Amino acid sequence: MSASITVFLLAIPMSLGLAVAMGAPLEAGLISAAVGGIVAGLLGGTPLQVSGPSAGLTVVTAETIQIYGWRTTCAITIGAGLLQLALGSLRAARSALAVSPAIVHGTLAGIGVAIALAQLHIVLGGSPQSSAISNVLHLPDQLARVSPAAPLIGALTVATLVLWPLLPGRAGRILRRVPAALASVGLATAVAAWAAPSIARVDLPSWRSHALPEMPQGPVLGLATAVFTMMLVASLESLLAAVAVDKLAADRSRARSGASPAGIGEVPGNAPGTASQLLETADPSAASVPPAPDAAEARSRPDGLDRLAPPLKRSDLDRELRAQGVANAVSGLLGGLAVSGGAVRSSANVRAGATSRASTVLHGVWILLASAFLVTALERIPLAALGALVMMVGLKMVSLAHIRNVHKHREFLVYGATIAGVLVVGVLKGVAIGIAVAVAVALHRLAQTRISVSEQNGQHLVVVRGQLTFLAVPRLSRMLGRLPQDADVVVELDGFFMDHAAYETIQDWSNAHTAHGGQVAFAGRSGGRIAEPAAAAHSCCRPWSPWRNHHCHDQPEHAPPAPAADHRPDPALSVGTAAAPTILATAAGAGSHAPAPSHPDSGTSPDSGSPAPQLPSHAQTAPTAQTDATAPLMAPTPQTTPAPHRASASQPASPHQHAAADRPPRTGGDHRLVRGLSSFQRDTAPLVRGELARLAREGQRPSQFFITCADSRLVTSMITASGPGDLFTVRNIGNLVPPPDAEEGDHSVGAAIEYAVDVLGVESITVCGHSDCGAMNALLAGAPDAPDTSLWRWLRHGLPSLGRVSATSDTQPRFSGRLPANAVEQLCLTNVVQQLDHLRAHPSVARRIADGSLQLHGMYFHVAEAQSYLLAEDGSTGVGTAAVFDPISPAHPAELTRTGA
């Protein structure tokens, strides 16, 4: 009951104002409001949606009345309703929502501008012209002969509309229960009755003289166009409002079930993607909706609002479209305006606590009673107040949030073209212009392919950004043809679509280039998505960008969304380096949102099970000794490209998530940690949960044991392209391996060696050093003044490496092709060789090496160059010959297979 009264008080001034704006009989607005409430309310597929005359139909209806007259317009309304009924029966409602949002928002914004220009003339005491352009051209004449009464009443109405929702204190909260539209019109009416008794007012003719529809008269094509245009705008507006009402009702249910301290049914108004923003899409005058009562008041109310409402089913859009068609047919037969779902009335209905279609139907009944018994009161309303009310509705249809959104998605050209088309040539032609521009923009983006060639250290890099179609084949062939026949070429394909012509071009060139002695490797994108601007593709938080870039988690705009929302960004396509036929087939056939598995059954390699997607890592490793069996997820090894395990968007929140939501937010030093963990739970956990569950069931079976330094710049999973279950890792200061007889107080490294070799049965052990190691610098600097510290007691295990460097010998470790740059680098290389000797002294390692089931590897990682070096097999013992570290090149996987790597 209370919700129906709230909607009724809002609908009365809106219906009269829209009738004035359309140039229709004022009683037609009341008829359509009553029919929309009763007929569409009883038959509709969205129980809480309230239908009636709407701002979106203002321009269409006004133009139809001017061309064909009122009675033919009623017949056109009947035809539009029958067409809606047919489309709803054909279940075409969902297809109507497939229109680009830029076109929909542009159409509504253009209609809003046209409404505002027309109603400005009424606010100034004049009459609107036939088109938006004419209203602009005649505005100077209207300003020259303006009288003060109408503009002042209009200004009072606008000020009340703006300030009413801002009334402070308890009194303001009570007053805000009255809709702002009703308050502004009521106040303007009272002031006009006292200060401007001669101002133009509402004139409701006798119901006996009410005009009913007649047989349409005019050209068939013009009438059909008018029917189609009215159907299109009414359907889009109704369906958008239905979707928004669903979201608003769901938000209200979540607020009630969570015992939120906010008002019942209250929804954040500025959050992107919220129900209120969608309501603003359909009819942005939702700002005049009264706020919901607070929770304490709702709990004490006797009308049952303190109890949780039964969950409502999602909207049946086809049923809603059929109901709108029936309502339009009935309204046209009774001489009323066209009907569509109204966001203003619907949001007021939901926020006032409506739980069923009863409030919608009752509001229509109250309008019928008011039309019969409140004619005298309605005729006191000044036309300038109604004009100001509708003008504000039109202005709010131009939403800054929508403008920012379409600009972010690079669709502002479509948005602007649609607005201009609606204003200059009308709604239907404006929509057609918007569609044409959208198609042209899509074709331009499809044909826009950037190809660049660069050379570094004798290797040619060909970067192809954008979709590869036949339109780019001539330019691609020309660029590839300029490369030397025997060159080492890496082709980076940064796109998600390749047609057959482009595929054959690259495949034929690759075969020919390889036949002439050249080498070809294909790589995927490096992190950015094709739909993003270039700046966005290299912005913060992309995978493996510098750690300082990941501090964007500290900024509010990059904060993770609430757990209830499902805003997971898709991972960037990570193809890695693969054989030419494989990568080309992947690029030609795979989408950009999920890497395709190379292992068709399980999506994992039979032996390692490393997940494929390249995902961001937000964790640094502390410089302390640690042992871990699962490293952060990284790019795939050349043998595997498994599919990610996605969590369902409708998966309910866990009890841990509900418990976390109840805790106060963390502050202080753990802020960055919480942000990183939240990012993992949002972006990475859904992708790896299935693989980790398999490892939890089957246990870990890593094939490699990795001993490296605890330096935070070494991310073992990144430089080895490994994933969960691949590496058994030990990290400590200086990647030291104490000899088995030297561990007096700390046996952690020896225990890890025994566990990895004897229990896990790893196949290889790698000792990895790195450039500019702090431990090696400390050893070169000599013992500190007080050597009896934990750090120095640990570093004494590196003294044999220091002694090995100090010995004059021609067998010092070196790089292939160059000598170490300085003494620190020399010690870093020597330390790797020395720790391998310590490793061989462990009994379990010596036993496995003797039976040929275990291999030892020395590795060096140059941090500044991001370059890995591997100790040559013949120099790994460090006895008799110089240990040589060879650089690892980005070789083709097939080349690695041929060389036995």
Side-chain angles (χ1 to χ4, degrees):
M1 176 69 74
S2 61
S4 66
I5 294 175
T6 299
V7 179
F8 157 72
L9 294 176
L10 177 65
I12 285 290
M14 289 293 298
S15 302
L16 293 174
L18 291 173
V20 171
M22 298 176 191
L26 297 184
E27 67 272 16
L30 299 175
I31 291 174
S32 61
V35 171
I38 297 173
V39 177
L42 286 173
L43 304 178
T46 308
L48 301 185
Q49 175 158 284
V50 183
S51 300
S54 68
L57 288 165
T58 302
V59 174
V60 176
T61 306
E63 183 179 0
T64 305
I65 292 174
Q66 290 177 358
I67 296 176
Y68 300 105
W70 169 243
R71 299 184 66 184
T72 299
T73 299
C74 292
I76 290 174
T77 302
I78 297 173
L82 296 177
L83 188 55
Q84 283 181 306
L85 183 59
L87 291 175
S89 301
L90 295 175
R91 300 188 177 276
R94 290 286 176 186
S95 302
L97 294 178
V99 182
S100 168
I103 297 175
V104 175
H105 298 161
T107 302
L108 294 175
I111 291 173
V113 173
I115 291 173
L117 290 172
Q119 297 311 296
L120 181 58
H121 283 268
I122 294 179
V123 171
L124 295 176
S127 300
Q129 304 300 315
S130 59
S131 67
I133 303 299
S134 298
N135 282 319
V136 173
L137 296 177
H138 287 79
L139 191 58
D141 294 338
Q142 182 64 51
L143 291 172
R145 49 189 175 85
V146 67
S147 59
L152 290 176
I153 293 298
L156 176 63
T157 306
V158 171
T160 307
L161 281 171
V162 172
L163 299 177
W164 193 261
L166 305 178
L167 294 177
R170 181 176 180 83
R173 186 168 63 251
I174 296 174
L175 289 174
R176 287 199 303 269
R177 294 184 182 180
V178 179
L182 180 64
S184 61
V185 172
L187 183 59
T189 301
V191 172
W194 169 72
S198 60
I199 194 172
R201 303 177 189 274
V202 169
D203 182 16
L204 286 174
S206 171
W207 287 105
R208 296 178 181 178
S209 61
H210 179 64
L212 296 176
E214 65 179 3
M215 289 299 296
Q217 298 179 2
V220 176
L221 181 60
L223 292 172
T225 301
V227 169
F228 180 81
T229 304
M230 187 173 292
M231 179 278 303
L232 177 66
V233 176
S235 300
L236 283 177
E237 194 168 18
S238 298
L239 296 176
L240 285 173
V243 173
V245 168
D246 269 355
K247 287 182 174 289
L248 194 60
D251 290 341
R252 182 185 66 178
S253 298
R254 279 196 296 269
R256 285 181 171 180
S257 61
S260 171
I264 290 180
E266 193 171 10
V267 184
N270 297 326
T274 59
S276 51
Q277 187 185 44
L278 289 173
L279 284 167
E280 195 174 320
T281 303
D283 195 340
S285 58
S288 62
V289 176
D294 60 30
E297 292 173 340
R299 285 192 294 269
S300 64
R301 288 172 61 174
D303 56 358
L305 286 180
D306 56 321
R307 298 187 299 271
L308 294 182
L312 291 169
K313 294 182 179 179
R314 295 192 64 182
S315 294
D316 183 344
L317 296 184
D318 293 305
R319 177 179 175 181
E320 181 64 32
L321 187 58
R322 292 194 296 271
Q324 294 293 330
V326 174
N328 271 313
V330 173
S331 180
L333 282 171
L334 296 178
L337 296 171
V339 169
S340 71
V344 179
R345 294 176 291 269
S346 301
S347 58
N349 194 35
V350 174
R351 296 185 182 188
T355 58
S356 69
R357 61 180 78 243
S359 61
T360 304
V361 176
L362 280 176
H363 116 276
V365 174
W366 306 143
I367 291 177
L368 277 182
L369 295 177
S371 302
F373 301 107
L374 297 179
V375 174
T376 304
L378 295 178
E379 288 183 336
R380 296 182 180 274
I381 300 175
L383 291 179
L386 295 179
L389 174 65
V390 178
M391 182 181 69
M392 291 298 293
V393 171
L395 289 177
K396 290 184 179 183
M397 293 176 75
V398 185
S399 170
L400 292 178
H402 297 153
I403 294 175
R404 286 193 296 266
N405 194 36
V406 297
H407 184 268
K408 180 178 68 175
H409 291 88
R410 298 187 298 169
E411 292 185 331
F412 187 78
L413 181 61
V414 179
Y415 180 82
T418 306
I419 292 179
V422 169
L423 291 175
V424 175
V425 296
V427 174
L428 188 60
K429 293 179 181 178
V431 171
I433 290 173
I435 293 174
V437 174
V439 171
V441 169
L443 291 176
H444 173 72
R445 290 176 180 170
L446 189 63
Q448 190 179 32
T449 306
R450 298 189 300 275
I451 306 173
S452 62
V453 178
S454 60
E455 181 181 0
Q456 186 177 8
N457 298 329
Q459 185 181 70
H460 295 264
L461 176 63
V462 180
V463 180
V464 182
R465 302 194 187 280
Q467 287 59 258
L468 269 176
T469 65
F470 66 94
L471 298 172
V473 165
R475 189 153 40 100
L476 178 64
S477 300
R478 185 166 57 251
M479 302 291 274
L480 295 176
R482 294 175 181 174
L483 298 173
Q485 291 187 349
D486 58 348
D488 183 7
V489 181
V490 175
V491 180
E492 181 180 314
L493 301 175
D494 189 358
F496 59 81
F497 176 77
M498 179 188 299
D499 69 4
H500 189 69
Y503 172 82
E504 284 195 346
T505 299
I506 295 184
Q507 182 72 6
D508 293 344
W509 169 83
S510 176
N511 294 337
H513 190 79
T514 305
H516 286 85
Q519 292 185 354
V520 181
F522 292 88
R525 64 180 61 180
S526 58
R529 288 180 293 182
I530 291 301
E532 294 176 342
H538 300 281
S539 60
C540 89
C541 291
R542 69 183 181 91
W544 308 119
S545 60
W547 172 251
R548 62 179 178 272
N549 288 352
H550 291 271
H551 292 178
C552 66
H553 286 293
D554 299 332
Q555 304 301 326
E557 61 269 22
H558 294 287
D566 186 19
H567 300 295
R568 301 186 187 98
D570 293 339
L573 180 63
S574 177
V575 182
T577 55
T582 303
I583 179 60
L584 289 177
T586 303
S592 63
H593 297 297
S598 61
H599 195 275
D601 297 329
S602 64
T604 58
S605 172
D607 53 350
S608 66
S610 301
Q614 183 177 5
L615 299 174
S617 171
H618 301 293
Q620 280 184 309
T621 306
T624 58
Q626 66 173 353
T627 303
D628 56 28
T630 58
L633 182 64
M634 264 308 299
T637 57
Q639 294 85 4
T640 63
T641 313
H645 301 273
R646 287 185 178 273
S648 171
S650 60
Q651 183 176 357
S654 67
H656 301 288
Q657 291 171 325
H658 286 300
D662 295 334
R663 298 192 191 106
R666 294 177 180 266
T667 58
D670 61 350
H671 174 75
R672 187 175 302 157
L673 172 64
V674 173
R675 292 290 190 191
L677 294 175
S678 177
S679 177
F680 167 81
Q681 293 300 140
R682 182 182 72 252
D683 300 333
T684 308
L687 303 175
V688 300
R689 188 171 288 118
E691 178 64 16
L692 291 179
R694 184 189 68 80
L695 290 172
R697 290 192 307 268
E698 301 175 3
Q700 60 167 326
R701 292 195 299 271
S703 60
Q704 303 176 62
F705 179 27
F706 206 82
I707 303 174
T708 188
C709 185
D711 192 291
S712 63
R713 297 167 294 181
L714 264 69
V715 184
T716 56
S717 58
M718 179 174 69
I719 61 180
T720 60
S722 58
D726 288 346
L727 297 183
F728 186 76
T729 307
V730 166
R731 305 187 68 158
N732 59 52
I733 301 293
N735 49 274
L736 301 177
V737 181
D741 57 352
E743 291 187 295
E744 298 175 356
D746 182 5
H747 298 272
S748 63
V749 178
I753 293 172
E754 291 184 13
Y755 185 78
V757 174
D758 295 336
V759 179
L760 297 178
V762 296
E763 301 171 2
S764 68
I765 303 178
T766 301
V767 176
C768 176
H770 67 96
S771 61
D772 196 25
C773 179
M776 300 302 104
N777 277 292
L779 286 172
L780 284 174
D785 296 336
D788 191 20
T789 62
S790 297
L791 179 60
W792 186 254
R793 286 196 297 270
W794 172 255
L795 288 179
R796 65 182 171 82
H797 298 303
L799 291 176
S801 302
L802 185 61
R804 191 167 186 159
V805 169
S806 302
T808 57
S809 173
D810 296 333
T811 60
Q812 292 293 346
R814 61 181 178 83
F815 294 106
S816 175
R818 72 174 178 89
L819 295 175
N822 49 44
V824 176
E825 192 166 63
Q826 181 68 73
L827 181 56
C828 291
L829 296 178
T830 303
N831 184 60
V832 172
V833 178
Q834 183 65 39
Q835 301 312 312
L836 286 173
D837 289 346
H838 291 177
L839 194 58
R840 293 186 189 92
H842 283 260
S844 57
V845 175
R847 185 176 60 254
R848 289 280 306 276
I849 292 177
D851 62 24
S853 61
L854 181 66
Q855 292 183 333
L856 302 185
H857 302 292
M859 178 181 164
Y860 178 82
F861 184 74
H862 197 293
V863 175
E865 299 175 357
Q867 176 63 56
S868 300
Y869 296 84
L870 200 60
L871 182 61
E873 294 291 336
D874 55 357
S876 60
T877 61
V879 178
T881 59
V884 178
F885 287 80
D886 296 321
I888 302 299
S889 63
H892 200 287
E895 181 67 21
L896 293 175
T897 303
R898 287 196 297 270
T899 59

